[in-house]
Amino acid sequence: MAVECTLTEQVEGCLVGAIAGALLGFARCVEPARFDGIDAAGMLNATLTPALDWQPEPYRQNLRDAVPLVDAGVQAYLTQGSRATPEAFAAIFRDHEGIATPAFQWDGLHTIQEILKEGMPPRLSGFGAFPSGLVCAAMPAVGAYHFAHPEYAYLDGVELASVAQPPLGADWAGLCAAAIAAAFVPGATGETVTDAVLKVALRNCREVFYDLEWGLRRYAGLPEPAFLEEWRRRGGAPDLDHRTLWIVYNPIAAVLPALRRYADSPAKLMALLVVPPPFMYTPTVSAAIGGAIAGAMHGVAGLPPEWREWAAPAVASWRNLTDVVLARARQEAAVVQVTERLVQEDAGGHSLLEEKVRGCILAGAIGNAMGSPVEGRTYQEVDRDYPQGVTTVLDPARLEGEDDNQMAMLLVETYLERQGLPVMARHFGKTWKDRLNRNHFYPFCMGHSYDLITQGWDPRIVGQWSVVTGSTVMCLEPAGIYHLADPEFAAVDATAIAYMYQRGLDVQAAAMLAATVAEALRPDATVDSVCQAALAAAPTEEFRTFDRRRFANCREYLEACLEVADGYDDVMAARVGLYEKCLLYHYIDPLELWGLALAMFRVARGDVRQAAIGGTNIGRDADTIAGRAAMLSGALRGERNVPPEWVALFSEEARARIHRNAARLASLVAEAKLPALKTRAALAAASEQ
């Protein structure tokens, strides 16, 4: 059972254990004769030491220890100073000299380094690689950052590992991260960590779940002598066939059976992971993962002193990881306070969060339906055809039939089905596969992505070949709702989801939108704070588009849009200035529609009616512009700011569904997500006292 220690001690223990395991597992592979005389009876008390005097044969090195991979994971977080992304991990991985060690068995990693240097996007670089568990050694930092939240550790582990791995290998890595995160839970045992991993696997990667379960059943019920005999003979090695002959096959499968029995003793656990025959070099990573789990459970003081001595040089340069972890925990503590205010129920049993979510959904649907009839026109053409302007929904049937609304509702349903757990592209992809009417959507982005998903492609990447159309900007507000008051996480998750059917500026605009929704849901949010959240999430890297633009980057463009907006207090008049200074190559451009929507939101001062009217009558991609401007206003001001005569245009069934979904979203945030945040915040607070 885990001992009482601070989060700081657990993070340090996790890193020390990972280094010790990496060194000892490597020693098993390069100095096998040292271990040949250890029998089953003596295995638990074996004296383990690193291969301190080992030197590779010049121009013939086969292997190296996994310490550089542990380092790459840590450096991704230190470089970001916050949550690591595939792009951050790839930047470290690509140029890491330790990973570039000329060891033949690491050539799969070297291939990834080379194709990253050639310019392949990091969310694609691992897709065609062969499965390998080597990159699992980068997971201790992921598990530590997402301490006590194994589901998020798994999801981010998959995202980072996918830089170098196909879906199967990325799942192995994600489950290693989940196990480490579960070890931070107060009172964690080998049994609770194993159960947490199995639950994550069952939800997300069922084939790997069956693989893990079979390995555990092989040893279940054996008395200790029989277990030790069988374990000494084969360890956690899988049955040998063409599906398992991969370098470092599924490391977590080699850890869990031993962890179930010997989690209380880090030294005995390590002996079980190191001494048996090293199937496909698995101990080089499985021992690192087992050590990280043991360190998280027992804290640095609960580990053998020699481990701390071996790990000291590396861990000394990683101490700031604890600061990154604690900073995130403080952010979450603030999110907890805001969420608790939002979910407080009034005398009628309703909360401010429900009010804001209903406003967000209703206003978004109304704005989208208002703008749809004039989509693709200039504002001059709109004025010609509608001299008094479009000031209401012309065709109420569009309130429920527009693709923007349908996509947003599909994502809402995905969050509801996850019952408070985070959503990534694979979850949304399953919803698409089960429910999307492919013929209703634009074939060059959503339609094509749907085809690839149904053909078996990983939903994480299928948007990489889409035509950018704004199709993610029109529906990513549920990511902001889930991450209320947490714009950073809203943007990161929205990015991952958006890559399911978009790329480039479309993904960036979707991330900015999700961040603004997260901010707008705060009880004390203002128009200015929402716009600042958009600017904070706006990339400052130079555009990489087919055309030359007069703006250098997304942030500069948004600043220009908001500067124009500040010169107006009338949404109809603002159209002139926005056309003069803010139009891009075509109305389908996702950055343009997002910039114009944000500008109309600002000119309207967050008023739903004015935002919808301005977004509609500006023309261009009017349905999405009006929908986004009104949606932000509804999230900020709530349902009470949505004109009742517009709400009355919905069918009774549609209104009931929106109210029901809003209540369910508020409930899952309060009853499922909030407790996990509270647990993490409490652990961190105890560490800082």
Side-chain angles (χ1 to χ4, degrees), residues 17-104:
I19 293 297
L23 296 176
L24 293 173
F26 175 69
R28 177 64 178 92
C29 294
V30 298
E31 295 181 350
R34 283 206 279 140
F35 300 84
D36 290 344
I38 302 174
D39 61 14
M43 183 165 49
L44 292 178
N45 298 311
T47 299
L48 306 177
T49 57
L52 298 176
D53 298 324
W54 179 86
Q55 293 293 326
E57 184 178 349
Y59 307 109
R60 200 179 176 186
Q61 185 171 348
N62 196 46
L63 197 63
R64 73 148 300 158
D65 62 68
V67 172
L69 289 162
V70 181
D71 179 67
V74 174
Q75 295 302 331
Y77 286 92
L78 295 182
T79 302
Q80 289 288 96
S82 59
R83 185 177 175 187
T85 63
E87 290 76 17
F89 182 61
I92 299 296
F93 189 98
R94 179 191 61 213
D95 299 320
H96 200 291
E97 293 185 1
I99 297 174
T101 299
F104 171 68

Side-chain angles (χ1 to χ4, degrees), residues 115-187:
I115 62 177
L116 286 171
K117 290 178 180 181
E118 291 165 4
M120 181 172 280
R123 293 176 190 260
L124 283 177
S125 50
F127 184 66
F130 59 80
S132 165
L134 284 170
V135 79
C136 296
M139 294 299 108
V142 182
Y145 185 78
H146 290 291
F147 68 90
H149 201 321
E151 187 80 17
Y152 236 136
Y154 163 79
L155 295 174
D156 267 13
V158 167
E159 290 297 308
L160 269 58
S162 293
V163 169
Q165 279 295 288
L168 179 60
D171 280 332
W172 296 346
L175 293 173
C176 288
I180 295 166
F184 281 85
V185 175

Side-chain angles (χ1 to χ4, degrees), residues 269-487:
L269 174 64
M270 187 62 71
L272 290 176
L273 298 177
V274 170
V275 173
F279 176 79
M280 296 300 290
Y281 313 104
T282 295
T284 61
V285 176
S286 61
I289 299 303
I293 293 169
M297 290 179 67
H298 296 276
V300 66
L303 301 179
E306 62 269 24
W307 291 17
R308 302 199 294 272
E309 181 182 344
W310 302 333
V315 173
S317 65
W318 297 342
R319 294 196 186 279
N320 287 344
L321 180 64
T322 301
D323 296 334
V324 174
V325 172
L326 290 174
R328 173 58 196 169
R330 287 191 291 272
Q331 286 180 308
E332 290 183 1
V335 172
V336 167
Q337 292 180 343
V338 173
T339 305
E340 288 178 330
R341 288 176 59 191
L342 285 167
V343 300
Q344 287 180 348
E345 294 184 348
D346 58 22
H350 300 292
S351 66
L352 178 58
L353 180 57
E354 284 184 60
E355 161 77 12
K356 281 176 164 279
V357 173
R358 287 197 301 267
C360 176
I361 296 173
L362 286 167
I366 289 167
N368 182 240
M370 280 183 64
S372 182
V374 296
E375 179 183 8
R377 306 186 199 187
T378 65
Y379 82 79
Q380 294 92 342
E381 291 169 338
V382 175
D383 287 350
R384 179 197 65 203
D385 296 338
Y386 300 92
Q388 304 303 314
V390 179
T391 59
T392 189
V393 178
L394 300 178
D395 180 5
R398 294 177 182 266
L399 287 167
E400 299 170 49
E402 283 295 301
D403 54 357
D404 297 35
N405 300 334
Q406 290 188 38
M407 290 300 297
M409 286 302 100
L410 285 175
L411 186 52
V412 166
E413 290 170 10
T414 306
Y415 273 102
L416 293 176
E417 288 174 1
R418 288 281 286 165
Q419 298 181 340
L421 296 172
V423 167
M424 289 296 190
R426 290 181 180 178
H427 310 115
F428 198 26
K430 184 179 184 303
T431 303
W432 271 34
K433 192 173 181 180
D434 293 343
R435 300 177 201 167
L436 187 73
N437 179 356
R438 185 251 190 265
N439 295 325
H440 186 73
F441 294 95
Y442 194 58
F444 304 138
C445 54
M446 290 177 286
H448 181 58
S449 295
Y450 172 83
D451 291 341
L452 293 178
I453 290 170
T454 57
Q455 291 167 21
W457 286 58
D458 187 348
R460 290 185 58 261
I461 66 167
V462 294
Q464 295 275 358
W465 295 272
S466 288
V467 174
V468 291
T469 62
S471 57
T472 57
V473 188
M474 69 189 192
C475 72
L476 261 294
E477 58 266 31
I481 294 171
Y482 179 80
H483 285 297
L484 63 91
D486 194 357

